[in-house]
Amino acid sequence: MSAARRPLMAGNWKMYKTRPETRVFFEAFVPLVEGIDDRDVLVCPSHVCLETAVAATGTTVAIGAQTMHFAEHGAFTGETAPGMLVELGVTHVVLGHSERRQYFAENDADLARKVRAAFDHGLVPVLCVGESLDEREAGRTEEKIGGQADAGLADVRPDELALMAVAYEPIWAIGTGRTATPEVAQETIAALRDRVRARFGDAADELRILYGGSVKPGNIDVLMAQPDIDGVLVGGASLDPEGFARIVRFVEPA
């Protein structure tokens, strides 16, 4: 973790928790993370729980959406426009999660439009990239995630990199219990930063790159000790207030 980049500790609830469960979570979670002022805390509930989450957190925890459309309005049944999220008090949006790419056919071209739309509406985009186990074993990790980053950042200006985040989530480590070793995560994220640097120059040093993939209280400290890991995107472990609070309150190396 670089001292120059403020850590972002994010939880992605996926399709879990009702509105009452959301209120109960934050009643327990917010007191556990109050007073933290050297890192950003983000929780991304389902769309139906966003308003409940915003009301339950105040300014202690940022609330993000798990996806959005790039259009301001239109005949897009089931979709949510950026302005609708802003109206709710949402500040961040996760874009291109591997599950969205796999199950809902999200593609790089549309994700580039979504990243641009997020910026244009004052939202912080968190762009996800990641490779499958077959791609890693074939030696195609850097090619795959580099290509996703190139495409997703196509309409981003260098001065905007510091205002967003990219989350590296190896697909083979999401919800499987398998975690990239800290060394593998660091090596891959460093290579990703180099790819961004090739296009954006020194502005790449301002970009926060997160790790996501079976992050738990037991491995957070060693992950956050890596120089290029600027935070985490946590799935299942973010559903438990005590466990996620421990992740947020990671212990920095001496």
Side-chain angles (χ1 to χ4, degrees):
M1 181 187 65
S2 168
R5 295 185 295 269
R6 183 179 174 88
L8 173 59
M9 316 304 287
N12 172 25
W13 284 1
K14 307 188 180 184
M15 200 172 68
Y16 292 97
K17 293 194 184 295
T18 62
R19 287 182 295 170
E21 289 169 340
T22 297
R23 284 191 290 268
V24 170
F25 173 91
F26 285 112
E27 286 173 1
F29 179 68
V30 171
L32 295 174
V33 297
E34 281 182 328
I36 295 178
D37 58 5
D38 62 347
R39 62 203 66 175
D40 295 329
V41 185
L42 170 67
V43 175
C44 301
S46 69
H47 272 56
V48 297
C49 294
L50 288 172
E51 189 170 13
T52 300
V54 169
T57 57
T59 60
T60 302
V61 181
I63 299 301
Q66 296 176 13
T67 187
M68 70 173 197
H69 201 278
F70 51 76
E72 299 217 12
H73 48 73
F76 302 109
T77 301
E79 290 289 342
T80 304
M84 296 174 181
L85 298 178
V86 173
E87 183 183 22
L88 289 176
V90 170
T91 56
H92 294 62
V93 59
V94 175
L95 299 172
H97 189 281
S98 62
E99 292 161 358
R100 297 293 310 175
R101 294 177 187 263
Q102 179 179 357
Y103 301 131
F104 302 99
E106 291 196 353
N107 60 68
D108 288 330
D110 283 348
L111 287 169
R113 297 176 72 179
K114 292 184 180 188
V115 170
R116 184 66 260 159
F119 274 124
D120 290 345
H121 287 82
L123 293 164
V124 177
V126 180
L127 175 68
C128 297
V129 300
E131 86 284 20
S132 67
L133 183 59
D134 287 345
E135 289 165 336
R136 170 162 283 277
E137 292 180 340
R140 296 184 54 224
T141 293
E142 293 184 19
E143 172 192 347
K144 177 62 177 291
I145 66 173
Q148 289 177 328
D150 287 347
L153 301 176
D155 298 322
V156 174
R157 303 189 305 267
D159 63 293
E160 291 176 319
L161 287 182
L163 306 176
M164 67 173 296
V166 171
Y168 165 58
E169 40 160 29
I171 298 170
W172 47 271
I174 299 174
T176 64
R178 299 180 60 174
T179 308
T181 66
E183 293 77 18
V184 167
Q186 163 59 28
E187 178 183 19
T188 306
I189 288 176
L192 176 58
R193 194 179 303 281
D194 286 342
R195 179 73 169 243
V196 176
R197 184 177 293 109
R199 176 181 168 192
F200 291 94
D202 290 343
D205 293 325
E206 304 296 320
L207 174 67
R208 291 187 289 185
I209 304 182
L210 318 181
Y211 171 75
S214 296
V215 176
K216 299 178 175 64
N219 61 21
I220 185 61
D221 296 338
V222 67
L223 285 169
M224 291 303 298
Q226 307 306 310
D228 280 287
I229 297 180
D230 305 313
V232 287
L233 180 61
V234 186
S238 69
L239 297 170
D240 172 64
E242 289 78 17
F244 188 44
R246 170 63 182 88
I247 290 172
V248 168
R249 302 183 75 97
F250 68 89
V251 179
E252 296 187 61

